[in-house]
Amino acid sequence: MNTVTEHRAATRVLVLNSGSSSLKYQLLDMRDAGRLAVGLVERIGEQTSRLRHTCVATGGTRELNGPMADHDAALKAVAGELARDGLGLDSPELAAIGHRVVHGGMFFTEPTVVDDAVLTEIERLIPVAPLHNPANLTGLRTAMALRPDLPQVAVFDTAFHTTMPESAARYAIDTKIADRHRVRRYGFHGTSHAYVSRETARLLGKAPDEVNVIVLHLGNGASASAVRGGRCVDTSMGLTPLEGLVMGTRSGDLDPAVIFHLQRVGGMSTDEIDTLLNKRSGLFGLCGDNDMREIRRRIDEGDEAAQLAFDIYIHRLKKYIGAYYAVLGSVDAVAFTAGVGENAAPVREAALAGLEGLGLAVDPARNAVRGDGARIISPRDARVAVAVVPTDEELEIATQTFALVGKDD
Ligand code: AMP
């Protein structure tokens, strides 16, 4: 043991979330799960790239504008900003880099230290995640090149859902064709569902394995999950994040024959239908807005299209709550999370309206309270707790990463 210089364990984790033209990051200290720095690079590959970096200790935010050709340039710029705050990537206090990877298929059931074989497997999954996995791979390769000596951990959006039974994970199509093309239900937002179901148990003063929770992750993308004793038994997204709930711009569930119909009768190409269902559907397709704040404002002004979009959104949500109630048999809590779930009291109220027979209700006064923390919004004597539980995917990625590589020495 070194008695001369102060001994410091490596307790920091850098979390990277790489999109096709963006890079979000947070540096956390796992001693207290506190943020040291947060930031975002946008428009990577364009002339107008922008890095916004905040050092939490000083509260200072800096902006860097100018072309960043690729993720390598972006990450180097981030490293530079971190270094200016004394938080450089060469610090011995950095224990690992944790990466969000959207699709881990059936292969990755746990967070995984990345090596060449892992990169190859993530690459093999590109056909089922063409939008996300290439960007995640770019982020991984870039960070590995910058700090080859440091553990790089992939945390998969799909991993939490790999506990789903085959009865929930399989589509009812020819098994041989499904297996050949890896067609099955994988689910997404897994780090959020894992974190929120655990935090909900904590809010109830129970261990995760003692409770059954329905988690409603309602952001721009939206998904529901049924979690029995800490393990996911069903979730609403499928092969891709298109299945399930009505989302900001995605349709969620529809009759698959709608696609043949649009091809045969509508003369649309596969790519056009892909764009329609992923980018021009959902709330946006129904009323021209995908932001729930704007939709509520329009409803208050008597806008019928906004009202119908809201009603369709709620109808689908209610169907999933009922379905997952049946899947679980008994439910201890329903937890609302993400941008809409955490902030939109009218959505929470409408989603549970009329479900008193299932023991589900929101207390209007509790539901109306605005707050940052996890909170119960059901009446005091309710059979099932209804909760608002802010999600924290970065903290979950950092926690899982640190659990894998962190050691107190
Ligand atoms: P997320 O994907 O979790 O960041 O959620 C983004 C979405 O949350 C936005 O598109 C909004 O529709 C919604 N949102 C954020 N704040 C509010 C709010 N105060 N009221 C209603 N919806 C909100």
Side-chain angles (χ1 to χ4, degrees):
M1 191 160 80
N2 190 338
T3 51
V4 179
T5 54
E6 187 189 349
H7 180 79
R8 286 186 172 174
T11 56
R12 292 179 188 163
V13 175
L14 178 67
V15 176
L16 294 183
N17 183 350
S18 309
S20 54
S21 64
S22 68
L23 177 65
K24 279 192 226 161
Y25 62 94
Q26 292 195 1
L27 182 67
L28 293 94
D29 191 327
M30 299 317 292
R31 281 175 299 192
D32 59 359
R35 261 75 175 172
L36 300 171
V38 299
L40 167 68
V41 189
E42 294 171 288
R43 300 193 289 275
I44 297 171
E46 295 178 32
Q47 289 300 309
T48 57
S49 313
R50 183 178 74 171
L51 163 57
R52 272 177 75 86
H53 172 90
T54 301
C55 171
V56 174
T58 62
T61 294
R62 294 190 293 275
E63 234 182 75
L64 223 69
N65 291 291
M68 292 181 214
D70 50 25
H71 280 72
D72 186 46
L75 187 56
K76 282 183 177 143
V78 170
E81 292 309 303
L82 288 167
R84 280 179 68 184
D85 294 328
L87 301 168
L89 296 190
D90 51 359
S91 161
E93 290 174 71
L94 188 61
I97 302 182
H99 298 256
R100 175 184 185 218
V101 179
V102 167
H103 216 309
M106 288 168 70
F107 190 76
F108 294 110
T109 59
E110 303 278 345
T112 305
V113 175
V114 180
D115 56 17
D116 285 344
V118 171
L119 288 177
T120 303
E121 190 57 32
I122 296 172
E123 199 162 14
R124 270 168 35 89
L125 289 162
I126 287 177
V128 284
L131 295 178
H132 294 103
N133 273 29
N136 301 158
L137 269 170
T138 305
L140 268 165
R141 290 200 172 105
T142 306
M144 288 167 86
L146 204 64
R147 281 297 310 266
D149 53 317
L150 200 66
Q152 310 267 344
V153 176
V155 178
F156 299 92
D157 265 20
T158 47
F160 183 62
H161 304 303
T162 56
T163 53
M164 274 195 290
E166 288 295 279
S167 53
R170 286 224 173 238
Y171 292 109
I173 63 169
D174 184 309
T175 304
K176 285 194 264 334
I177 291 176
D179 287 348
R180 189 180 316 144
H181 299 292
R182 303 194 199 203
V183 175
R184 59 186 281 123
R185 308 190 56 255
Y186 295 99
F188 298 88
H189 292 147
T191 48
S192 177
H193 287 283
Y195 176 83
V196 171
S197 56
R198 232 185 24 246
E199 285 301 302
T200 304
R202 197 214 302 262
L203 189 64
L204 300 183
K206 301 251 174 80
D209 62 1
E210 293 176 320
V211 292
N212 292 347
V213 185
I214 297 173
V215 178
L216 305 170
H217 176 111
L218 310 178
N220 202 25
S223 63
S225 69
V227 183
R228 174 180 290 133
R231 291 164 66 86
C232 176
V233 293
D234 203 353
T235 193
S236 61
M237 286 178 166
L239 173 75
T240 75
L242 184 55
E243 190 179 343
L245 300 174
V246 176
M247 311 183 209
T249 64
R250 292 183 209 135
S251 62
D253 294 337
L254 40 76
D255 179 347
V258 168
I259 295 163
F260 318 141
H261 182 80
L262 291 176
Q263 280 173 332
R264 290 181 188 134
V265 180
M268 293 176 74
S269 70
T270 306
D271 284 349
E272 284 170 343
I273 298 171
D274 192 331
T275 304
L276 170 75
L277 299 181
N278 276 294
K279 305 234 168 84
R280 293 198 286 116
S281 295
L283 293 169
F284 177 77
L286 289 165
C287 74
D289 269 309
N290 60 329
D291 191 315
M292 190 55 80
R293 285 165 287 203
E294 189 57 19
I295 289 170
R296 290 303 311 173
R297 194 191 60 71
R298 284 172 54 185
I299 289 172
D300 289 343
E301 289 176 353
D303 187 314
E304 286 178 14
Q307 181 69 60
L308 181 59
F310 184 82
D311 292 347
I312 294 170
Y313 181 96
I314 295 297
H315 179 72
R316 185 82 52 82
L317 188 54
K318 196 173 276 194
K319 285 210 299 196
Y320 270 92
I321 295 167
Y324 287 172
Y325 206 118
V327 165
L328 290 169
S330 75
V331 177
D332 298 287
V334 174
F336 287 88
T337 194
V340 176
E342 291 168 30
N343 297 299
V347 168
R348 299 191 294 255
E349 184 191 325
L352 299 182
L355 301 187
E356 295 79 8
L358 298 177
L360 286 167
V362 296
D363 177 90
R366 289 177 153 195
N367 190 34
V369 172
R370 295 199 144 271
D372 292 339
R375 57 200 184 274
I376 304 273
I377 58 166
S378 43
R380 277 179 212 289
D381 55 352
R383 223 162 64 221
V384 181
V386 180
V388 176
V389 180
T391 193
D392 195 336
E393 289 167 276
E394 288 77 16
L395 175 58
E396 180 66 17
I397 291 170
T399 304
Q400 292 192 17
T401 298
F402 196 62
L404 197 60
V405 306
K407 45 192 178 294
D408 290 330
D409 56 3

